[in-house]
Amino acid sequence: MTTRNAMTVDVEDYFQVQAFAHRVARADWDRFPRRVEANVDRILAQFDRAGVHATFFTLGWIAERHPAMVRRIVASGHELASHGWDHTRADRQEPEAFRQDVRRTRALLEDIGGVPVTGYRAATFSIGASNQWAFGILRDEGYRYSSSINPIAHDLYGMPNASRVPYQPDGNGFWEFPMTTVRAFGRNWPCSGGGYFRLLPGVLYRMGLSRVNKAEGRPGIFYFHPWEIDPGQPRIEGAGWKSRLRHYTNLSRMAPALDQILHAFAWDRVDRVFADLLPEQDRVVRQHATAA
Ligand SMILES: [Zn+2]
């Protein structure tokens, strides 16, 4: 049987990424023209053509401003999940601030979407050795899984010694689904999308994912951002060369490259790909508080 992989989208706009955080203050976000809704609509159409369902890890800040977009994500059959409120790194928050952040985001997403929200991805994969307490808080707050650890060495994130495969951090039914890596030459190599997918030849990604599917018999997790398919986005002034390289390279090739992997592999939502690990939901869907 073909292994199904998890397709995921981190729903944030081009001015909210970690690489530009030193150039763009949160207080100024509302001054930027937003492009996320138009880009998400293109992604929804592309997924629809390919017959793929995905998980959309969405910022509360974005959902508050684009509720109709959130409802279209749900109406198209995708999983709605949380990317936290405003892309603050989880490892720069105190536990109580983190709790308020993930609580507020989940409540808003459930109110707008009218569906249970049980998945979480930390901004910039910022759960690591210093903040393992985050898992307990996520569980307390009603989440069932996180996909927040990237078991690689990277200058902005990463926990190279973390598990490469799904595990229960506290052994209590709450799961972490780490980003996909390929094991070679004694270390973990990224194989989950993001900047690497745009910067490296597509064949490397496909070989890596095939190896994870066939040799290890495990699903992979792919992620990208709506701004990655948007070559016309405004450029952020004063960003350094490394940030520019990561953010702007091959934007025009992203949509076709995505199409290629959508057809080369089988994809589904995170909650369905890992359904054997996640017990059936027994919780009543919250009432639609902001019905429109
Ligand atoms: Zn993000």
Side-chain angles (χ1 to χ4, degrees), residues 173-192:
F174 181 91
W175 287 86
E176 166 64 29
F177 303 134
M179 301 312 286
T180 305
T181 55
V182 173
R183 188 82 192 154
F185 309 112
R187 56 170 284 190
N188 299 338
W189 301 86
C191 185
S192 59

Side-chain angles (χ1 to χ4, degrees), residues 16-192:
Q16 300 176 309
V17 304
Q18 185 65 37
F20 298 148
H22 63 297
R23 301 297 311 171
V24 182
R26 273 188 185 73
D28 293 333
W29 279 0
D30 268 319
R31 294 190 200 169
F32 287 83
R34 290 195 297 277
R35 298 171 71 89
V36 65
E37 183 155 352
N39 290 330
V40 164
D41 281 345
R42 288 174 58 205
I43 292 166
L44 290 176
Q46 190 171 1
F47 284 169
D48 194 48
R49 285 193 300 273
V52 165
H53 289 115
T55 296
F56 286 70
F57 293 99
T58 305
L59 288 183
W61 193 96
I62 289 289
E64 191 175 43
R65 287 160 179 77
H66 298 274
M69 177 195 79
V70 171
R71 288 188 200 103
R72 286 199 296 281
I73 289 171
V74 172
S76 305
H78 303 291
E79 180 187 9
L80 183 62
S82 164
H83 195 33
W85 189 264
D86 65 356
H87 221 258
T88 301
R89 292 181 64 117
D91 55 5
R92 306 233 172 104
Q93 286 176 312
E94 294 299 321
E96 196 45 39
F98 178 76
R99 181 185 299 277
Q100 294 307 324
D101 180 313
V102 299
R103 178 183 294 176
R104 179 186 184 199
T105 305
R106 178 164 169 270
L108 180 79
L109 291 172
E110 291 195 340
D111 282 349
I112 294 173
V115 288
V117 168
T118 60
Y120 172 78
R121 174 171 290 153
T124 325
F125 304 114
S126 56
I127 295 183
S130 69
N131 59 340
Q132 293 285 303
W133 46 259
F135 294 119
I137 291 176
L138 288 165
R139 180 171 182 266
D140 290 351
E141 294 300 322
Y143 292 89
R144 297 195 299 162
Y145 76 84
S146 151
S147 182
S148 303
I149 288 195
N150 211 329
I152 59 168
H154 185 286
D155 57 347
L156 296 178
Y157 53 78
M159 188 178 175
N161 298 321
S163 170
R164 296 177 53 242
V165 300
Y167 67 104
Q168 300 180 51
D170 301 322
N172 57 12
F174 181 91
W175 287 86
E176 166 64 29
F177 303 134
M179 301 312 286
T180 305
T181 55
V182 173
R183 188 82 192 154
F185 309 112
R187 56 170 284 190
N188 299 338
W189 301 86
C191 185
S192 59

Side-chain angles (χ1 to χ4, degrees), residues 147 156 254 257 264-265 274 291:
S147 182
L156 296 178
M254 183 63 189
F265 297 90
F274 297 103

